[in-house]
Amino acid sequence: MTHSPAVTINVMPHDARHVVARATDADRRGLGRLVLPDAGAATRDPWTVLGAAAVGTTAIRLGMITNPLTRRPEVTAGALGTLDELSGGRGFAVLSVGGAFQLAGLGVPHPARIADLTTALRTVRDRHRSAELWVATKGPATLRAVAGLADTVLLSGVPFPLLPDLARRVRSTTGARVALTLHHWFDPESRLHSGERLVYEITNMRPEYADAGGVHDSLRTDVLSALARSGPVEAGRLIPDTVLRRFYLDAPATGITDSAVTLATGLGVDEIVLPEYTFYPNG
């Protein structure tokens, strides 16, 4: 790669006005994108909030991470088309098979199948021809299935030693750009956030990722037991820093964006998605 990766801020939509304020500030800062995760009924409606953010911004692209079960693809296509009308074509959607924890809160017993994902991509594209579509995945079967359907593949939970080769394979398999969700820590609180995030990755981590990341069977057993007993934050405390550093960035808050861009460039990815606290360490 000869260019610097674009930077995206990931904001949880618990408060609509908060998200709109963050979008306005991120637009002023020159960040490339803002994305909201779809937590179903647990948060404000992301599409509505993004529509409000579109009116008060001029350049930043605005998107949402969702799945074919939380929201029907026909509904996603209509919502994305509406957002594009309001924003002048700055909307995008990130589709995945869905997280088990999020779907369980909605009474959905299991994530979508790969076939559901590919059908959703085709449906959204058919109904909104100019849609910008991402896929969040890291499994080879899904990567093969979405070839030619996604503009960008969003990776997460991949240990750093495996990322350069995986990024090359993603491009050759799908023809898509490669983005990376990158968590980091710089103080005890952000360390807890990063540990919690890795706990969720460990629940369905591929064996080759676990091996390269130092997540051995005994650690996985301990983490999953703590997750069931005490929740993800306490489970995350069991993950050694040496393991966390194979997945996430350990760097000071000052200059963290530059540090993340430097790391992503070395790993060969086109875009990085960073949590809100990266840009607002003091809340």
Side-chain angles (χ1 to χ4, degrees):
M1 287 182 8
T2 58
H3 63 282
S4 296
V7 177
T8 296
I9 178 174
N10 184 322
V11 180
M12 183 63 72
H14 288 303
D15 181 278
R17 289 184 175 86
H18 173 83
V19 174
V20 171
R22 288 297 197 234
T24 302
D25 188 61
D27 193 42
R28 179 187 60 79
R29 291 183 182 215
L31 298 181
R33 299 174 189 269
L34 177 141
V35 67
L36 308 180
D38 185 2
T43 63
R44 303 280 72 87
D45 179 69
W47 288 124
T48 303
V49 177
L50 290 172
V55 175
T57 56
T58 59
I60 191 169
R61 301 189 70 83
L62 304 164
M64 173 174 143
I65 304 170
T66 188
N67 63 80
L69 300 183
T70 302
R71 298 172 193 268
R72 291 280 306 174
E74 295 86 355
V75 175
T76 296
L80 181 56
T82 302
L83 179 59
D84 275 338
E85 288 180 15
L86 290 170
S87 66
R90 291 184 283 125
F92 68 102
V94 185
L95 297 178
S96 72
V97 293
F101 287 97
Q102 290 82 358
L103 292 173
L106 295 172
V108 180
H110 54 75
R113 301 166 299 172
I114 294 176
D116 297 322
L117 179 61
T118 56
T119 297
L121 289 165
R122 292 190 177 94
T123 298
V124 175
R125 186 77 73 191
D126 287 345
R127 289 172 173 260
H128 182 28
R129 293 291 183 180
S130 61
E132 181 182 351
L133 298 177
W134 292 27
V135 169
T137 187
K138 46 188 173 284
T142 304
L143 289 172
R144 289 191 296 270
V146 303
L149 299 176
D151 302 300
T152 300
V153 170
L154 177 60
L155 303 173
S156 66
V158 182
F160 293 152
L162 300 184
L163 267 168
D165 180 63
L166 180 58
R168 285 191 292 270
R169 285 190 283 118
V170 167
R171 291 190 187 92
S172 65
T173 301
T174 68
R177 298 167 63 253
V178 180
L180 172 67
T181 295
L182 181 62
H183 290 264
H184 78 279
W185 82 95
F186 50 85
D187 62 12
E189 184 176 358
S190 58
R191 193 337 183 148
L192 287 179
H193 287 312
S194 295
E196 179 183 5
R197 183 62 258 172
L198 190 54
V199 166
Y200 289 121
E201 296 288 355
I202 288 173
T203 62
N204 64 349
M205 184 172 286
R206 298 181 62 82
E208 62 269 31
Y209 297 170
D211 289 343
V215 182
H216 304 304
D217 289 345
S218 58
L219 175 60
R220 183 177 188 275
T221 298
D222 291 344
V223 166
L224 294 183
S225 295
L227 174 62
R229 183 177 62 252
S230 306
V233 174
E234 291 304 312
R237 295 181 191 272
L238 300 179
I239 301 173
D241 287 355
T242 52
V243 171
L244 206 60
R245 288 190 184 99
R246 299 188 188 188
F247 294 88
Y248 301 144
L249 181 61
D250 176 12
T254 303
I256 187 65
T257 304
D258 291 339
S259 298
V261 167
T262 298
L263 175 64
T265 300
L267 296 173
V269 302
D270 302 291
E271 188 145 351
I272 51 173
V273 180
L274 293 164
E276 182 179 4
Y277 63 76
T278 292
F279 307 96
Y280 306 98
N282 298 318

